[in-house]
Amino acid sequence: MATLKLISLGCSKNTVDSEVVLAHVLPAQWTLLPTDSAKHPDVLLINTCGFIGDAKQESIDMILRACMLKSKRRIQKLYVMGCLAQRYGQELAAEIPEVDAWFGVREPEKVIAAIVGEDVAAAEGFNPERRTLTTPAHYAYLKISEGCDRQCAFCAIPLIRGKHVSRPMESLLKEAEDLARQGVKELILVAQDVTYYGLDIYGKQRIADLVRALARIEGLRWIRLQYLYPHSFPEDLLDLMRTEPKLCAYIDIPLQHIATSVLHDMQRATDREKTTALLHKLKAALPDAVFRTTLIVGFPTETEAAFAELKAFVTEFRFDRLGVFTYSEEEGTPAAALPDAVPAEEKERRADEIMRLQETISLSLNEARVGKVFEVVIDREEGDYYIGRTRYDSPEVDDEVLVLREEGKLQIGGFYQVRITEAEVHDLYGQVEKAC
């Protein structure tokens, strides 16, 4: 059997795209090699990220390493897909001729045909609802839309992935039912902005209707939403978060900044007053919810005063989870026309300062969880521990719960009541009280 190795970089939306390709390649007598396998594949497929400078550099470095393998005849074919290929494919094809073909973000059928052959691909047909999961079997991402209609000044996603296109609800429900039959218990809805879902095809935001229908699927235990844009937050979604037990009280709301002047220059369609009013409304309605956000420091118009305002806001609000990006110029975006007034060293200093503040907050919040019991799903075994998560944590980006393996055999994908015994900045330690 021919062999394929897939390297999927970037976000969870890329993960879904990769899984759709795999679902159509593997049945055509292909074997998937693990990414850490010492064996060299017949075809190496790299799904790239083109979101920010560091992500683009990671993708380029991975492609160049693959080109070295190809030059040594350790792989026969090298294909590149995804955001980087979408945005820079023509230029990269001229610079890196060792790559056999470049494919944009909306060309999965062409990727499949290149790997298995056009005749085989045509005979098999293409179904975007088919997935071969690369995540642990008990959780999966569900991409509910593609692209974005927002016009944030710093963001190249609309240039790369185009305008917002919602998937029909019937298609999403069918895919979710298939995933549940395969054993998926946690469904993580992903999009550039999940709150925008439905506007283009139904004329109104229908994310609450979608979640309500998903919650009726037998076998699903947790439903998680990533990412909730702070502008035009749907009221019916907040009502559903209060009443639907399967919907995790997990508010993933990328704010980017808090200073009104910076938000205006970022074209975020909101200001400090509206943002803080929404956050306090969400906290009052969902007192047990956790809040996750991302921030950008070093935006061209971020003054020392605006940065000080951001620090004070982080200290005051006490986010449960927080990540920081340093601003990187993306050609073609409105912000690229602004003079980059903040030196690179200063951007890094500001990011480090925010993260030091957040680490103190995170440790304090985690220490408050010691002695309490949480429902935990076990994701994997690692060394002496089982590694799990509470319903307040998303895979790969949030805190984890560590349980000593010597306590007894636990099931991967199993749910347990765990009492927290110790806390660190990003990890909790616990003891299992019972399965649930």
Side-chain angles (χ1 to χ4, degrees), residues 96-128:
I96 313 176
E98 296 88 348
V99 174
D100 292 283
W102 303 78
F103 302 96
V105 295
R106 300 197 184 188
E107 298 183 307
E109 294 173 83
K110 291 183 179 180
V111 177
I112 296 160
I115 297 172
V116 304
E118 292 186 5
D119 292 343
V120 174
E124 288 288 329
F126 179 73
N127 180 355

Side-chain angles (χ1 to χ4, degrees), residues 360-373:
T360 300
I361 294 167
S362 295
L363 179 59
S364 174
L365 293 173
N366 277 349
E367 287 176 339
R369 295 181 172 98
V370 173
K372 297 180 180 178
V373 176

Side-chain angles (χ1 to χ4, degrees), residues 176 180 184-187 214-215 217-223 246:
V184 168
K185 300 182 181 73
E186 178 183 6
L187 203 58
L214 289 169
I217 296 176
E218 186 176 352
L220 293 181
R221 189 163 183 148
W222 292 351
I223 299 172
K246 288 187 179 181

Side-chain angles (χ1 to χ4, degrees), residues 113-146:
I115 297 172
V116 304
E118 292 186 5
D119 292 343
V120 174
E124 288 288 329
F126 179 73
N127 180 355
E129 297 166 3
R130 287 172 57 188
R131 305 260 299 279
T132 295
L133 295 183
T134 57
T135 57
H138 57 279
Y139 72 81
Y141 299 101
L142 184 68
K143 186 163 71 167
I144 66 173
S145 64
E146 183 61 274

